[in-house]
Amino acid sequence: MKKYIRQAKRFLTVDVWRITPKDVSPLGYLLVSIVKKLTLAVKFFFTKGTGDSAAALTYSTLLAIVPISAVVFAVARGFGFSKYIEEWFRNALSGQSQAAEIIIGFVNSYLVHAQSGVILGVGLLFMLWTVLRLTRTIEQTFNAIWQVKHERTLFRTVTDYLAMVFLMPILIVLISGISIFMTASVDRAQGYMLLAPMLQTGLKVMPFFVMSCVFIGLYIFMPNTKVKVSAAVAPGILAGVAMQVLQLFYVHGQLLLSSYNAIYGSFAALPLFMLWVQISWTICLFGAQLCYTNQNSEEFAFMANPEEISHRYRLLMSAVLLSKICSRFAQGKKPYTALELKLETNIPIRVTNDLLYNLTRANLINSSVCHDNHDGDLIYQPARTLERITLGTMVDRLEALGRWDMTLDLHQQLASAQWKRLFDLRKAYLEQLRDVPIRALFPQEDAQTHGMFS
């Protein structure tokens, strides 16, 4: 038994990453790719603190659910859709019916007390701030999963999230209308032997379809980076199905919780609702991890953690990226994106993004949003004139990144002649490196630099 466990462990950690399309059939390689992506998703889920993020989002959701629901209900009432929204809310929390009624009661009370004088303005501002705060927290969590260093600007945050909140009631009403239409169609088609079963099946499948679409949209929209639709479809469907299974479990598991309710009474709704929210966020974040690995899965090098790469190798790869950015700028061509640099150098995308972020912090390159397409990709250009970007400048600035704690008095320890000689040697070393222009490392006619990290 131990032998098989060791073999399975070796296969998942080493052997599976060495399989190429030439080694197996197309179907076999598809299965290998699925194993790779699931392995990466599980690894990152447990090593990157995603479970802790789910717990933090659960706490933020409990604080924000009443104000956010109040915003949605208020917008719906403005359009005359309040009855549909309440019905949808009860159906969405059918496994937590007691919690749903409590939340609806809180929302109605919140809206009643927010309809007079100054309370209206303060209450409205608080509701909007709560919406933005929760969605910002969700975005930061998704950005951490996607290794994105740059968040949305404040203007984009306000406009995108408020548009989402105001469109949500309309989408809910449309979904409710389609559900009502399909239910009526099923009732009218009872006499048709073929049509009635098809419509009934469609009505049963519809919640799974809607929930899957919600997760696909969330995985595409929420991270501040380009997410391919093809990479989000499978994780979105899995997350949507898992959420519906969780819902069915809670609905049919109420009998198993009867003793729990008998002990805690009405208070039992709170811990059960918290558990439901945390499991829901866990499903959501695991789907986001799977979406990330689905889009960025590579060979064994993908497993490299940027923090574990040696300082010397980081400098080498930084020089490669910076020289290509400078060469592209000198030729007057379109600036590189992170993905284009990854494809040219075969440096894993996580490492590429990390190195570009540090080069930006060191004021060696600038990043800006590309307006030639609608994907919002970041493009990178030199931050200084090309003559002033040398290998010595890059090494000096990258080594100076981070916090310098000047509270330590090291003057006496560093005042000896040996330390002075060491500083002079380092200065001479950097001066020699400053004679090497960074763009001269890889001339344009040198075609052998392509794929040097493959």
Side-chain angles (χ1 to χ4, degrees):
M1 185 65 179
K2 292 182 178 180
K3 177 182 176 182
Y4 294 113
I5 294 176
R6 285 197 300 269
Q7 289 177 349
K9 183 178 179 180
R10 176 177 174 79
F11 176 77
L12 293 175
T13 55
V14 178
D15 295 340
V16 71
W17 307 101
R18 297 176 176 175
I19 298 176
T20 64
K22 299 178 181 179
D23 300 329
V24 292
S25 64
L27 179 59
Y29 190 72
L30 175 62
L31 295 176
V32 168
S33 299
I34 293 174
V35 171
K36 286 182 181 180
K37 294 168 184 177
L38 288 175
T39 303
L40 288 171
V42 172
K43 175 182 173 65
F44 292 152
F45 183 84
F46 287 104
T47 59
K48 300 299 181 182
T50 309
D52 296 335
S53 299
L57 286 172
T58 299
Y59 176 75
S60 300
T61 303
L62 291 177
L63 291 179
I65 190 168
V66 172
I68 289 179
S69 301
V71 172
V72 175
F73 276 52
V75 174
R77 287 182 180 181
F79 289 100
F81 298 149
S82 58
K83 183 178 70 173
Y84 296 102
I85 295 296
E86 288 193 17
E87 186 66 25
W88 173 86
F89 194 82
R90 289 188 176 92
N91 291 333
L93 296 179
S94 57
Q96 298 288 330
S97 57
Q98 192 174 3
E101 295 300 330
I102 293 174
I103 293 173
I104 291 175
F106 283 152
V107 168
N108 291 329
S109 177
Y110 192 97
L111 293 176
V112 168
H113 285 84
Q115 290 178 352
S116 60
V118 179
I119 302 299
L120 176 61
V122 175
L124 181 61
L125 290 176
F126 178 75
M127 285 192 298
L128 295 178
W129 176 81
T130 306
V131 172
L132 294 177
R133 183 174 178 272
L134 177 61
T135 48
R136 189 78 168 183
T137 303
I138 298 172
E139 180 192 348
Q140 290 172 348
T141 304
F142 274 67
N143 285 344
I145 291 173
W146 279 86
Q147 306 293 317
V148 175
K149 305 291 185 180
H150 304 276
E151 297 183 1
R152 285 179 172 87
T153 61
L154 180 61
F155 177 76
R156 278 197 62 199
T157 299
V158 174
T159 55
D160 291 354
Y161 293 161
L162 288 184
M164 179 178 64
V165 170
F166 283 104
L167 286 175
M168 190 182 300
I170 299 176
L171 293 176
I172 292 173
V173 171
L174 289 176
I175 293 171
S176 301
I178 295 174
S179 179
I180 293 172
F181 172 77
M182 291 188 65
T183 303
S185 299
V186 170
D187 294 337
R188 290 195 299 267
Q190 291 298 330
Y192 298 91
M193 296 181 61
L194 182 62
L195 185 60
M198 292 177 59
L199 290 176
Q200 288 176 353
T201 303
L203 194 61
K204 293 178 181 178
V205 172
M206 185 178 174
F208 293 86
F209 175 77
V210 171
M211 188 60 68
S212 298
C213 289
V214 169
F215 278 107
I216 292 173
L218 187 67
Y219 295 151
I220 294 174
F221 170 79
M222 192 55 68
N224 190 29
T225 187
K226 179 185 177 181
V227 180
K228 298 178 182 177
V229 177
S230 58
V233 170
I237 293 174
L238 289 176
V241 172
M243 279 295 298
Q244 287 300 312
V245 171
L246 175 65
Q247 192 83 332
L248 293 173
F249 173 79
Y250 264 88
V251 170
H252 296 288
Q254 295 299 315
L255 294 177
L256 301 176
L257 300 174
S258 57
S259 59
Y260 188 81
N261 293 328
I263 296 173
Y264 289 96
S266 59
F267 183 73
L270 178 59
L272 291 177
F273 180 69
M274 291 176 62
L275 178 62
W276 180 81
V277 173
Q278 182 160 354
I279 296 175
S280 300
W281 275 121
T282 302
I283 292 172
C284 176
L285 295 184
F286 180 78
Q289 289 281 9
L290 187 57
C291 181
Y292 171 63
T293 58
N294 196 22
Q295 178 165 316
N296 297 293
S297 61
E298 301 174 6
E299 298 302 323
F300 190 76
F302 179 85
M303 300 290 287
N305 188 347
E307 288 77 17
E308 297 175 354
I309 299 175
S310 70
H311 178 64
R312 180 188 299 176
Y313 203 46
R314 290 176 68 89
L315 288 177
L316 173 62
M317 291 188 291
S318 297
V320 171
L321 296 177
L322 185 57
S323 65
K324 286 190 169 295
I325 292 172
C326 292
S327 298
R328 177 69 67 91
F329 180 80
Q331 297 162 26
K333 296 182 179 179
K334 181 181 176 182
Y336 279 109
T337 64
L339 180 60
E340 290 171 343
L341 286 168
K342 178 263 174 191
L343 293 175
E344 275 205 20
T345 62
N346 278 341
I347 300 175
I349 189 64
R350 293 176 66 216
V351 180
T352 300
N353 284 325
D354 187 69
L355 296 176
L356 291 174
Y357 177 67
N358 285 333
L359 290 172
T360 305
R361 289 176 58 204
N363 198 29
L364 293 168
I365 60 175
N366 287 327
S367 62
S368 59
V369 178
C370 180
H371 297 289
D372 293 343
N373 54 54
H374 301 287
D375 298 326
D377 291 336
L378 291 178
I379 54 177
Y380 297 92
Q381 300 188 81
R384 318 177 75 194
T385 59
L386 298 184
E387 291 73 18
R388 298 179 63 188
I389 302 181
T390 65
L391 192 60
T393 304
M394 185 202 75
V395 172
D396 190 23
R397 293 198 172 198
L398 288 179
E399 288 186 344
L401 282 180
R403 181 172 178 266
W404 284 65
D405 192 348
M406 302 305 293
T407 59
L408 297 177
D409 187 9
L410 299 178
H411 292 86
Q412 294 181 355
Q413 289 83 354
L414 303 180
S416 66
Q418 291 298 329
W419 278 107
K420 184 178 184 304
R421 180 172 177 271
L422 177 63
F423 291 144
D424 290 340
L425 288 173
R426 172 174 169 74
K427 183 178 179 181
Y429 158 74
L430 290 176
E431 288 298 330
Q432 291 179 353
L433 290 182
R434 285 192 174 94
D435 293 334
V436 182
I438 196 73
R439 64 170 175 154
L441 294 179
F442 296 108
Q444 174 63 19
E445 60 271 12
D446 185 1
Q448 295 181 354
T449 60
H450 179 77
M452 66 173 296
F453 289 91
S454 59

